Amino acid sequence: MKNLISIFILSLSGSFAFAQSIFDIALKNINTEQSVTLKEYNSSKGMVIVFMSTKCPYAKYYELRLQAMANNYRDKGISFLMINSNSSEPNDLIKSQAKTINARYLLDSSKELADLLGAKKSPEAFLLRVNGSIHYSGAIDDNPQVADDVQVSYLKNAIDGFLSGNPSLQDRGRPVGCMIK
């Protein structure tokens, strides 16, 4: 019994350390050029982080869908952050994409956040709880190219389940897109 309690306490402290390190990573706001941490955006019920790219056609297909989702969930307590971890992409293209999506857009040039979350592709979505634990990670939906042909909206379903208190997720789409470089 002692061993089980010790394991439980260690797992809790590991989650806390993970959350602390996620929220403490310094990223650059593409519009203000200021260094910020995710702590500054952690006042909502949950946070969606989407890893984006200006050069990946799959990320471009999702720009308007992400804008609509960010607008739809803003008043429901879900904040959206777009993260670009591709250090070779020009800031002017990233600023243009940020304007199109109309969401907070941060640079992760060192790939520290991408590595910590295990993000490999753009676009790849993560829904984080306030404590920093991951509620969902995966694809945005099942059809990156044609929005009208989407059958399963993985991220939307995850957010809706999260907001309704449903901890279980059956559908986790595998992210389709370009490798984060």
Side-chain angles (χ1 to χ4, degrees):
M1 183 65 160
K2 249 186 191 179
N3 289 341
L4 287 176
I5 292 171
S6 296
I7 290 171
F8 178 72
I9 290 171
L10 283 174
S11 69
L12 284 179
S13 64
S15 294
F16 179 73
F18 178 74
Q20 283 298 105
S21 57
I22 284 177
F23 292 124
D24 292 334
I25 294 173
L27 304 169
K28 184 168 90 173
N29 182 312
I30 189 64
N31 292 314
T32 66
E33 302 283 325
Q34 300 295 315
S35 181
V36 296
T37 64
L38 296 183
K39 266 187 232 172
E40 296 174 40
Y41 304 107
N42 194 23
S43 62
S44 53
K45 293 178 185 175
M47 179 186 301
V48 171
I49 293 175
V50 182
F51 287 88
M52 294 294 287
S53 168
T54 62
K55 295 181 179 179
C56 179
Y58 290 99
K60 290 178 185 248
Y61 296 145
Y62 278 110
E63 289 177 345
L64 296 178
R65 283 182 257 182
L66 288 168
Q67 179 188 36
M69 287 180 80
N71 291 338
N72 182 45
Y73 287 106
R74 184 174 292 120
D75 293 336
K76 297 176 183 174
I78 302 295
S79 59
F80 272 70
L81 293 172
M82 303 300 126
I83 307 289
N84 188 307
S85 295
N86 298 295
S87 59
S88 65
E89 294 186 14
N91 281 0
D92 59 329
L93 290 178
I94 298 170
K95 284 181 181 182
S96 176
Q97 187 175 57
K99 194 173 190 178
T100 300
I101 299 171
N102 193 25
R104 295 175 182 130
Y105 207 120
L106 307 176
L107 298 179
D108 177 32
S109 301
S110 67
K111 288 184 41 185
E112 189 177 1
L113 182 61
D115 290 342
L116 191 60
L117 289 173
K120 302 285 185 230
K121 298 209 173 173
S122 60
E124 185 169 353
F126 294 82
L127 172 57
L128 303 179
R129 295 178 184 93
V130 174
N131 69 2
S133 63
I134 299 171
H135 180 80
Y136 174 80
S137 65
I140 296 165
D141 59 40
D142 67 346
N143 197 327
Q145 293 179 320
V146 185
D148 292 337
D149 290 344
V150 170
Q151 300 293 313
V152 182
S153 298
Y154 300 114
L155 181 57
K156 179 187 178 311
N157 293 345
I159 296 169
D160 290 342
F162 173 78
L163 289 172
S164 69
N166 180 3
S168 65
L169 294 170
Q170 279 87 24
D171 292 331
R172 285 189 183 267
R174 185 175 65 77
V176 176
C178 306
M179 297 301 290
I180 294 174
K181 296 177 179 153

